[in-house]
Amino acid sequence: MIIKLKKDVSEDEILEIKSILEENKMIVVENESKSEKVIGVIGNTKIIDIDKIKGYSGVIDVCDVKEPYKRAGRKFHPENTIVKIDENICIGDNKIIVIAGPCSVENEEQIIEVAQKVKSSGASLLRGGAFKPRTSPYAFQGLKYEGLELLKKAKEKTGLKIVTELMSTDDIERFEKDVDIIQIGARNMQNFDLLKKVGKLNKPILLKRGIASTIEEWLMAAEYIMSEGNENIILCERGIRTYENATRNTLDLSAIPMIKKLSHLPVIVDPSHAAGIDWMVEPLSKAAIACGADGLIIEVHNNPQKALCDGKQSITPEAFDKLMNDLELVAKAVGRNI
Ligand code: PEP
Ligand code: MN
């Protein structure tokens, strides 16, 4: 349930309304937009005397929220959330943020070379997997802690903040200390224990859409994180499993405007895992920006043919540089910059 309040509602009225809600064991979430204040109410709201609440002079309306996600929903939080990474990088405002780097960190030379090149082309953050979720247990599983150390070295050398995937709750403290954005991968989108634990951190979380998850399930995963207190979530559409097998996954472009309608959280797109093919990264990146995405996460490798993971979908630093130039025009066309 949400209670919409006039912008100039008195503090006393807010306190009285909140005390009624809290006496009834409701969870109360307060937000405001340019035109109104909103009190979101979570719990068995059927027991609340709605007429009494409507009787307060500062109350505009009381509405039911039928969606199961509350904190992640736009009804509870009408304004867009902007996730601040540092003084210069925010995700969800007018500037489109590009995260780039290899699928996996392979060695020092590779990660530093890629980091330097993507930075000079305009990437804002460096990606690179240290712990890799692989379909086969015999495939390269990532350099793990050594990979994290190499990411830190690349950050020291270039100043680029780092994004990498957390797979186990055992590594949370280490990631909290060393990583700037913690990625929860598609395969772990419904690992509720992991979601609840990262929900206790004060750290941005990149929440990838599950391989076969609906938008509602994805927003419920965000709700798990938010229910523990962490509201710094960036959603990432990375393609879903469909009957089509010409591409690795099917990029669900319609998810972008839909998320913007249903949620206040920023959404970025991963064209690399969606397509699984290097030459398709360019058109899908352009389409994502045209559809309103707040950013992109792109796999870039200095030698895609020799990559230990996802070489087929990785673009070269030269192709990335050209792509960044091309994206400027698309961003401009939708009133944004990159
Ligand atoms: C990745 O970004 O390296 C990755 C494994 O992505 P996803 O979880 O979307 O498959
Ligand atoms: Mn990959």
Side-chain angles (χ1 to χ4, degrees):
M1 182 173 91
I2 53 165
I3 303 167
K4 295 185 183 181
L5 302 163
K6 292 177 187 156
K7 201 80 184 180
D8 59 358
V9 59
S10 76
E11 273 309 308
D12 286 350
E13 271 199 21
I14 294 184
L15 283 175
E16 270 185 52
I17 293 169
K18 274 166 64 181
S19 79
I20 295 173
L21 298 169
E22 278 156 7
E23 269 163 29
N24 285 287
K25 307 262 178 298
M26 298 293 131
I27 298 172
V28 173
V29 182
E30 286 179 85
N31 279 304
E32 60 186 284
S33 71
K34 283 184 197 87
S35 57
E36 62 196 17
K37 292 193 175 177
V38 176
I39 296 181
V41 189
I42 304 172
N44 178 18
T45 52
K46 287 190 191 76
I47 64 172
I48 302 290
D49 181 350
I50 303 231
D51 289 334
K52 183 167 178 195
I53 305 261
K54 280 187 172 167
Y56 286 95
S57 63
V59 172
I60 303 170
D61 202 3
V62 179
C63 321
D64 238 13
V65 174
K66 64 177 189 323
E67 295 84 9
Y69 46 85
K70 310 290 179 193
R71 292 173 156 98
R74 203 176 266 289
K75 287 181 184 159
F76 264 51
H77 189 299
E79 298 288 328
N80 286 338
T81 283
I82 296 173
V83 176
K84 188 172 174 189
I85 312 299
D86 64 19
E87 290 314 311
N88 303 313
I89 305 170
C90 286
I91 305 185
D93 69 5
N94 204 51
K95 183 172 158 63
I96 287 156
I97 294 298
V98 180
I99 304 168
C103 178
S104 313
V105 181
E106 297 173 6
N107 56 59
E108 182 167 342
E109 207 186 338
Q110 172 239 20
I111 193 68
I112 297 213
E113 182 183 337
V114 175
Q116 284 170 334
K117 289 192 167 156
V118 297
K119 182 179 181 183
S120 73
S121 301
S124 296
L125 294 112
L126 176 67
R127 64 149 289 148
F131 295 83
K132 293 303 304 175
R134 302 302 302 275
T135 302
S136 166
Y138 310 116
F140 175 58
Q141 305 283 308
L143 296 181
K144 307 196 166 104
Y145 300 107
E146 189 194 338
L148 276 186
E149 289 307 312
L150 294 178
L151 281 169
K152 277 163 64 186
K153 269 199 180 158
K155 176 178 170 176
E156 254 169 53
K157 275 240 154 94
T158 59
L160 287 179
K161 299 251 153 120
I162 52 186
V163 184
T164 195
E165 178 168 351
L166 171 69
M167 285 184 25
S168 163
T169 53
D170 296 344
D171 295 321
I172 288 212
E173 280 170 23
R174 181 81 183 260
F175 271 61
E176 186 181 18
K177 185 161 67 67
D178 290 347
V179 174
D180 300 295
I181 300 182
I182 297 179
Q183 178 172 321
I184 300 295
R187 291 155 194 82
N188 271 315
M189 189 207 82
Q190 283 190 319
N191 181 338
F192 300 117
D193 200 28
L194 196 56
L195 298 177
K196 284 191 272 187
K197 296 234 164 77
V198 297
K200 295 205 187 323
L201 306 178
N202 181 23
K203 171 85 60 184
I205 307 297
L206 180 64
L207 180 64
K208 291 194 129 191
R209 181 177 182 179
I211 286 168
S213 297
T214 62
I215 288 173
E216 186 169 294
E217 287 162 343
W218 186 16
L219 290 174
M220 288 310 286
E223 189 79 15
Y224 260 93
I225 300 173
M226 297 180 85
S227 69
E228 298 292 333
N230 190 352
E231 306 205 326
N232 300 306
I233 301 171
I234 305 137
L235 299 168
C236 177
E237 162 60 41
R238 45 77 73 206
I240 46 173
R241 179 72 57 86
T242 67
Y243 55 81
E244 182 54 69
N245 59 12
T247 48
R248 182 174 176 181
N249 291 288
T250 298
L251 180 61
D252 183 8
L253 281 172
S254 60
I256 306 164
M258 187 56 88
I259 287 287
K260 290 280 168 201
K261 182 103 184 147
L262 301 178
S263 177
H264 52 91
L265 295 170
V267 59
I268 70 166
V269 166
D270 174 346
S272 310
H273 290 89
I277 309 167
D278 57 358
W279 58 263
M280 217 178 253
V281 169
E282 180 206 321
L284 295 186
S285 298
K286 291 177 176 170
I289 291 178
C291 270
D294 297 301
L296 296 163
I297 178 165
I298 297 177
E299 286 190 341
V300 178
H301 197 285
N302 52 347
N303 190 352
Q305 276 95 5
K306 293 258 167 73
L308 296 181
C309 184
D310 287 351
K312 231 175 102 207
Q313 67 196 35
S314 300
I315 60 172
T316 60
E318 294 69 36
F320 179 71
D321 192 61
K322 180 177 178 307
L323 175 62
M324 288 297 282
N325 277 323
D326 292 355
L327 291 178
E328 245 174 74
L329 277 176
V330 186
K332 219 177 195 173
V334 290
R336 300 182 83 165
N337 55 62
I338 188 161

